Amino acid sequence: MEMWMLIGELMRARTRAYLAASPLCPDEMPGLRSPAAPAQIGELEALAGQPLDPEYRHFLSLTDGLDGFRYTMPLLGCRDWEDPERSRPASVFRDITLETGPLTEVGLPEGTRVFPIYVSAEGSAGVLMLHHGDEALERFWWSSAGDDMFFHTFRDLLACVADGSYSPRHLFD
């Protein structure tokens, strides 16, 4: 499935949930952002200190993050990292993840680099983009209250969130 179609599926699912909620629902209405410019994507890659996953890069070129996904998965875009209030929870989540123990405890090779692309509002869950030398290993790690899930591609991550059509590997499978 093309990336733009997968983004459409994600938007449809979130919009249905939003409209099914009470009219007094405090959630922000789901929406797409304007695409990130190539220079912004390059700056984000420099900030990440690792190559951006090609599918995540393509996602950013279509929509620079998603609005109204606070409780499901508000993917961070380039502009989010320009705002200290929005980027601070992601940086804290990454630092806590790295401080709680070696990444080898979750099966990642030593020296794996991590960069957050999503962090929950309360900072207890997040998705980290991984960079390591082993192409056979997953590229995304969703960590949430002891439930660690791994995804080979960004597309797999979006498919899982949009319609459950992808089943991730769990840490204790």
Side-chain angles (χ1 to χ4, degrees), residues 37-77:
Q40 290 175 299
I41 295 171
E43 289 170 11
L44 182 62
E45 189 167 56
L47 177 68
Q50 66 183 50
L52 295 182
D53 178 81
E55 290 177 339
Y56 181 57
R57 177 186 291 278
H58 184 59
F59 168 83
L60 294 172
S61 75
L62 297 171
T63 178
D64 187 21
L66 299 171
D67 290 323
F69 283 73
R70 183 172 158 198
Y71 297 107
T72 50
M73 193 171 74
L75 291 164
L76 298 170

Side-chain angles (χ1 to χ4, degrees), residues 45-158:
E45 189 167 56
L47 177 68
Q50 66 183 50
L52 295 182
D53 178 81
E55 290 177 339
Y56 181 57
R57 177 186 291 278
H58 184 59
F59 168 83
L60 294 172
S61 75
L62 297 171
T63 178
D64 187 21
L66 299 171
D67 290 323
F69 283 73
R70 183 172 158 198
Y71 297 107
T72 50
M73 193 171 74
L75 291 164
L76 298 170
C78 299
R79 290 176 196 96
D80 293 310
W81 288 97
E82 296 167 1
D83 178 353
E85 191 173 313
R86 291 187 84 146
S87 64
R88 188 173 303 110
S91 296
V92 168
F93 182 81
R94 178 190 56 211
D95 294 345
I96 289 172
T97 299
L98 293 172
E99 290 169 5
T100 57
L103 297 178
T104 55
E105 289 180 6
V106 294
L108 297 171
E110 193 167 320
T112 297
R113 287 182 264 161
V114 299
F115 186 73
I117 63 165
Y118 152 73
V119 174
S120 65
E122 67 283 349
S124 63
V127 174
L128 296 162
M129 181 174 50
L130 308 170
H131 181 68
H132 42 70
D134 189 347
E135 292 302 317
L137 290 177
E138 292 94 347
R139 187 73 200 270
F140 293 91
W141 171 22
W142 188 333
S143 182
S144 173
D147 187 18
D148 295 291
M149 299 175 282
F150 295 89
F151 301 83
H152 282 285
T153 68
F154 185 70
R155 183 179 312 272
D156 296 338
L157 175 66
L158 290 184

